[in-house]
């Protein structure tokens, strides 16, 4: 009887101890998941807010510095003050790798805009247009070593061409300057995806595209693709929704493709807020956070 009583009391104590231990473990796991969710959400929103504030730097209103489409948030800013212009009355297309960005002998019927943008300028007398000199200096210093080295892949720069009339653009590799002094060279061998008319513009940009991708386990992974290249994962088990406010209205797609005639089509300079909502699920914890930021460059002229 004494042994049975002792075993009963021991079993009761062990049960209470096990219950306490399991309860403490559940609290620990819950607290760990809450901390992970909060830290991940705050980190993502901090990154998004910082990039939103920088969007549009050195860019005009007719360039899509902020885009929201197909669940993607695309933010762009210009890294170089000097912007080049396509200076060919016929534009460029197909396999054309040399891009004319100045014109020594403009046609007699050239417009005033063409003449102002494409007139050859060579203040230092080196035979190259001054704007090409600025791009060449940036390209050659991109490897951290002064001077240009022919064939050095570290001195190849990603550049972006944009046609403000047709609202089309694409990335290309800028790797050299032509000896004519009025052309830069596209290094990648692919054909142009679009045709670009005269006065299309060329930029050295930073582009950051945030988007969701679902993996084989069905988890949402937030990815970041820079300068038109393959995206890298930032955080898993997450969802993202973005909308923007412009001219007093909220948009899930921006710039909006179609608006009634009586409304003005907004551009990124009319933005009042970019709102990002991130939600995450880890274990039994689900949480949602929202932040709003404004590209500070909407206030600049």
């Amino acid at each position: 009887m004494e042994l049975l009583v002792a075993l009963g009391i021991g079993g009761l104590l062990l049960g209470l101890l096990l219950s306490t231990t399991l309860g403490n473990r559940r609290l620990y796991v819950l607290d760990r998941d809450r901390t992970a969710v909060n830290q991940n959400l705050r980190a993502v929103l901090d990154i998004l807010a910082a990039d939103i504030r920088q969007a549009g730097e050195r860019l005009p209103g007719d360039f899509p510095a902020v885009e929201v489409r197909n669940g993607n948030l695309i933010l762009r800013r210009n890294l170089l003050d000097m912007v080049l212009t396509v200076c060919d009355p016929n534009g460029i297309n197909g396999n054309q790798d040399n891009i004319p960005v100045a014109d020594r002998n403009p046609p007699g019927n050239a417009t005033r805009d063409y003449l102002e943008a494409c007139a050859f300028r060579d203040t230092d007398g080196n035979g190259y247009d001054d704007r090409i000199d600025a791009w060449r200096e940036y390209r050659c210093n991109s490897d951290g070593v002064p001077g240009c080295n022919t064939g050095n892949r570290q001195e190849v720069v990603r550049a972006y061409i944009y046609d403000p009339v047709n609202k089309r653009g694409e990335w290309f590799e800028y790797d050299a300057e032509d000896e004519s002094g009025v052309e830069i060279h596209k290094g990648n061998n692919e054909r142009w995806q679009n045709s670009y008319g005269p006065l299309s513009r060329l930029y050295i940009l930073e582009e950051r595209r945030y988007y969701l991708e679902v993996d084989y386990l069905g988890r949402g992974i937030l990815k970041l693709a820079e300068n038109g290249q393959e995206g890298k994962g930032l955080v898993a088990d997450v969802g993202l929704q973005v909308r923007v406010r412009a001219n007093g209205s909220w948009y899930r797609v921006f710039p909006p493709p179609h608006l009634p005639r009586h409304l003005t089509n907004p551009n990124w300079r009319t933005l009042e807020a970019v709102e990002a909502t991130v939600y995450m699920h880890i274990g039994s914890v689900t949480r949602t956070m929202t932040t709003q930021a404004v590209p500070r460059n909407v206030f600049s002229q």
Side-chain angles (χ1 to χ4, degrees), residues 5-192:
V5 170
L7 289 174
I9 294 174
L12 179 61
L13 293 175
L14 287 175
L16 294 174
L17 181 61
L18 179 60
S19 176
T20 302
T21 302
L22 292 177
N24 289 337
R25 176 171 175 76
R26 283 193 295 270
L27 290 175
Y28 166 77
V29 170
L30 180 61
D31 186 61
R32 181 196 63 188
D33 291 344
R34 284 175 177 169
T35 301
V37 167
N38 290 333
Q39 288 179 342
N40 288 340
L41 288 177
R42 289 195 181 104
V44 169
L45 291 180
D46 287 345
I47 294 172
L48 286 171
D51 286 345
I52 291 169
R53 294 188 184 101
Q54 294 185 77
E57 186 175 355
R58 302 187 185 94
L59 290 173
D62 64 352
F63 185 92
V66 177
E67 286 190 74
V68 180
R69 66 171 188 265
N70 301 326
N72 295 346
L73 172 63
I74 303 172
L75 305 168
R76 301 184 180 102
R77 66 188 184 108
N78 191 8
L79 300 179
L80 197 62
D81 287 326
M82 188 62 67
V83 176
L84 301 184
T85 306
V86 173
C87 294
D88 186 333
N90 299 315
I92 59 173
N93 56 66
N95 290 320
Q96 186 173 346
D97 291 335
N98 287 326
I99 308 171
V101 295
D103 195 339
R104 294 178 186 268
N105 301 297
N109 61 349
T111 65
R112 178 180 296 180
D113 289 343
Y114 184 92
L115 293 175
E116 290 179 353
C118 297
F120 182 74
R121 306 177 183 92
D122 183 17
T123 56
D124 58 4
N126 68 350
Y128 288 87
D129 187 270
D130 293 340
R131 292 158 292 191
I132 293 180
D133 286 337
W135 273 49
R136 184 175 187 271
E137 181 181 5
Y138 180 91
R139 181 183 66 80
C140 292
N141 291 334
S142 61
D143 62 349
V145 180
C148 289
N149 297 310
T150 303
N152 182 2
R153 290 295 300 173
Q154 292 183 346
E155 293 181 353
V156 176
V157 175
R158 298 276 289 177
Y160 193 84
I161 184 171
Y162 181 71
D163 185 341
V165 175
N166 298 313
K167 304 186 184 304
R168 295 181 299 199
E170 63 185 276
W171 288 93
F172 68 96
E173 291 186 352
Y174 156 54
D175 67 345
E177 303 77 29
D178 187 77
E179 293 182 356
S180 66
V182 296
E183 297 178 337
I184 65 171
H185 186 260
K186 176 173 76 73
N188 48 310
N189 296 321
E190 294 84 1
R191 293 172 59 90
W192 292 105

